Amino acid sequence: GVFLRENILCDDIPAPPAGASSNLPELPPTLSTREVVETLTSSGSCAGCHVASINPLGFPTESYDSLGRYRTEEMLFDMDGNLIGTAPVDTTSVPQVVDGDPTEVKDAGELMNLIVASHKATSCLARHYFRYSFGRWENVANDGCALEALRSALVDSDSLAAMVRAVAFAPDFRHRTIVE
């Protein structure tokens, strides 16, 4: 959820509070990954970010294991690495790709459709490419037109090449200002 929120949607998530991972309760090995995450983050100082912003965005991807293989059940292991059972994978959530959106998704495919429909990923890609190309973070007041040019080039042509071309023709890219 954090990766998607920060790197695909360009949303900011504050750093966890100091000591957030200290004094974690001991949980039974029969809990699925989702159940563990919900137990650890549904209350206290973690809940503010996890319940609304992080967990619901990550849960739809639970149908893929750590190697990217599709699964409908999660294998559960004890502390010695012995298989002790399985748990069904639950990928339903309300990810709020756009803040306050009540749309529920059932899996990663529906989540991706929601992300595409929001247009946030396109703007985020333009922002990341701006940072890479110009070698600096954007200043929205000064760089808003350049950011919009990149986003528009990507949307209007549906082509990464058009966005790359837009950077190459940007006056700020061709004529750098040296600040002493």
Side-chain angles (χ1 to χ4, degrees):
V2 170
F3 178 83
L4 291 173
R5 186 72 60 196
E6 291 181 336
N7 296 298
I8 304 299
L9 302 175
C10 283
D11 291 340
D12 292 324
I13 295 180
S21 63
S22 60
N23 300 325
L24 296 176
E26 192 165 321
L27 300 173
T30 56
L31 297 178
S32 69
T33 300
R34 180 176 181 145
E35 292 169 328
V36 168
V37 169
E38 287 176 327
T39 301
L40 295 176
T41 62
S42 63
S43 62
S45 61
C46 299
C49 293
H50 276 273
V51 171
S53 298
I54 298 172
N55 297 353
L57 201 55
F59 289 150
T61 64
E62 279 293 305
S63 57
Y64 298 95
D65 69 11
S66 60
L67 298 176
R69 297 175 296 198
Y70 185 79
R71 64 186 181 171
T72 57
E73 289 186 323
E74 177 181 353
M75 293 188 294
L76 304 174
F77 299 91
D78 65 16
M79 294 303 288
D80 297 322
N82 300 311
L83 181 64
I84 59 170
T86 61
V89 174
D90 178 11
T91 58
T92 59
S93 77
V94 179
Q96 292 191 50
V97 170
V98 174
D99 195 30
D101 181 7
T103 304
E104 180 179 275
V105 298
K106 293 180 182 15
D107 57 29
E110 288 184 11
L111 173 62
M112 292 306 114
N113 288 336
L114 202 57
I115 288 172
V116 168
S118 76
H119 303 290
K120 289 179 75 173
T122 307
S123 296
C124 189
L125 176 60
R127 178 174 289 184
H128 284 303
Y129 193 68
F130 175 93
R131 291 172 181 172
Y132 174 79
S133 299
F134 288 85
R136 63 181 173 81
W137 292 89
E138 70 282 353
N139 175 322
V140 177
N142 297 333
D143 300 320
C145 291
L147 287 167
E148 178 55 23
L150 295 181
R151 190 200 66 75
S152 294
L154 187 58
V155 170
D156 294 346
S157 67
D158 200 27
S159 162
L160 287 173
M163 184 176 67
V164 171
R165 194 175 310 110
V167 165
F169 289 123
D172 288 348
F173 183 75
R174 294 181 307 169
H175 305 286
R176 304 229 179 201
T177 302
I178 307 298
V179 178
E180 295 186 30

